[in-house]
Amino acid sequence: MKQASVAFIGAGNMASALFGGLIRQGYAPSAIIAADPSLDCLARAADLGIATTQDNGAAIEFAELVILAVKPQALQGVLAPLRDILLRRRPLLLSIAAGVNIQTLQDWSDKSLPIVRCMPNTPALVQAGAAGLFASPQVSDWQRKQAQSILEAVGTAVWLDHEEQLHAVTAVSGSGPAYFFLAMEAMIEAGVKMGLSQSVAEQLTLQTAFGAASMAQHSDVGPAELRHRVSSPGGTTEQAILSFERGGLKQLFADAMGRCAQRSVELARELGTDKSD
Ligand SMILES: NC(=O)c1ccc[n+]([C@@H]2O[C@H](COP(=O)([O-])OP(=O)(O)OC[C@H]3O[C@@H](n4cnc5c(N)ncnc54)[C@H](OP(=O)(O)O)[C@@H]3O)[C@@H](O)[C@H]2O)c1
């Protein structure tokens, strides 16, 4: 597949994870340009052989794909002055900004522009990200493939049928790493209380989290079956699982993720041009 010329507007954490991943996957640095006011961020990009600029307009002048990687609050100020170039060049806009919906992005640029919205997550920084993507009707098949290959350079990317599903994606994978960090934190603390040193409890917990995720990914059965297989009746694991069940763990997850998705809806409303319910 022909590589699209890509401009990153914002060269911070997520952008550097993405362009770093792209280059590791064989993307030509000469096909990428990064724009950011911060000279430090630009220096990191330049170290990878990427062209850099502090001028967003210059960055998008030759791009087929423009990745909007600034904070949501900065996005309106970024898009408004680029409107004329965007209308003339009509690149694909790929926004990774949390909570800014396509209608709002179009209100800040133009409603005819092709836009893909994406919710990535922080493990993208170590090439183990999980992202949900949604495309506006103006996006072509070739542009969908380009957007997908950008996100797949740093992990897994899945397409969604409805933009509203990005709230659920936020609750599952966007915020999901924090749930696993909390579980690891709790396991390390419990291990230490049982007499392990901090470092031993930490090593065992982290490797167990990695091993369980890896097994679940490579197995042809789901996590529920894998759990049954390691919980023999009368055994030790069964006692732990029964205790989690008595504590209502699944309901706790449903409540926590529901609160997360609800906050995502509220933030989208606060950030957006459409304030209606
Ligand atoms: N990090 C995550 O886990 C995560 C997950 C999902 C989605 N996202 C989304 O990814 C986006 C970027 O997040 P991040 O964590 O990478 O933020 P970040 O590290 O702060 O990067 C944003 C960069 O944009 C630059 N910037 C600010 N105004 C700009 C402008 N007018 N033109 C060009 N660049 C400008 C910032 O420069 P200054 O620092 O000098 O202002 C900064 O270097 C956000 O919209 C966020 O919602 C992040």
Side-chain angles (χ1 to χ4, degrees):
M1 183 170 56
K2 177 187 164 283
Q3 289 181 345
S5 47
V6 182
F8 283 86
I9 306 299
N13 292 318
M14 285 308 273
S16 48
L18 288 169
F19 55 63
L22 283 172
I23 290 168
R24 263 185 294 273
Q25 300 269 313
Y27 219 87
S30 58
I32 305 175
I33 183 164
D36 197 292
S38 153
L39 292 175
D40 285 348
C41 288
L42 294 184
R44 272 189 288 161
D47 283 347
L48 297 170
I50 295 172
T52 62
T53 175
Q54 289 181 303
D55 179 348
N56 293 341
I60 68 168
E61 194 58 68
F62 300 101
E64 292 163 291
L65 203 160
V66 174
I67 302 183
L68 300 169
V70 297
K71 295 284 188 204
Q73 296 77 2
L75 207 42
Q76 183 172 18
V78 161
L79 281 171
L82 298 180
R83 186 171 183 274
D84 289 345
I85 311 178
L86 291 172
L87 277 174
R88 177 163 46 80
R89 303 257 324 138
R90 309 194 66 76
L92 170 66
L93 291 177
L94 170 59
S95 169
I96 63 167
V100 184
N101 65 32
I102 286 184
Q103 189 197 314
T104 299
L105 291 166
Q106 289 178 331
D107 287 345
W108 291 342
S109 53
D110 190 89
K111 64 177 184 316
S112 67
L113 293 171
I115 299 183
V116 168
R117 246 189 93 190
C118 163
M119 170 49 65
N121 67 3
T122 41
L125 301 170
V126 292
Q127 277 75 58
L133 296 153
F134 176 78
S136 73
Q138 295 85 354
V139 176
S140 70
D141 284 349
W142 184 76
Q143 289 174 325
R144 279 174 84 101
K145 285 189 187 120
Q146 294 296 338
Q148 185 169 341
S149 73
I150 301 279
L151 271 306
E152 283 182 343
V154 291
T156 296
V158 295
W159 285 101
L160 305 168
D161 297 327
H162 307 286
E163 187 174 6
E164 286 302 297
Q165 290 172 317
L166 281 165
H167 298 302
V169 170
T170 302
V172 174
S173 52
S175 301
Y179 318 154
F180 287 98
F181 295 143
L182 178 64
M184 287 184 232
E185 199 183 316
M187 284 174 67
I188 293 166
E189 280 175 21
V192 168
K193 277 197 187 124
M194 288 177 203
L196 297 178
S197 69
Q198 178 75 22
S199 128
V200 166
E202 211 168 288
Q203 274 185 66
L204 294 176
T205 300
L206 267 54
Q207 181 61 20
T208 302
F210 174 76
S214 187
M215 240 179 112
Q217 272 199 326
H218 292 104
S219 169
D220 47 12
V221 297
E225 175 58 23
L226 288 174
R227 171 168 70 80
H228 284 301
R229 287 182 190 177
V230 292
S231 319
S232 5
T236 53
T237 309
E238 184 191 47
Q239 284 306 306
I241 300 294
L242 286 172
S243 180
F244 282 134
E245 283 172 351
R246 279 195 300 274
L249 187 72
K250 282 192 181 176
Q251 190 55 49
L252 211 49
F253 265 95
D255 293 346
M257 290 169 67
R259 294 288 292 265
C260 180
Q262 182 52 36
R263 186 65 191 132
S264 169
V265 170
E266 288 164 10
L267 285 174
R269 209 168 287 152
E270 285 165 24
L271 286 165
T273 49
D274 174 14
K275 307 282 182 197
S276 61
D277 282 341

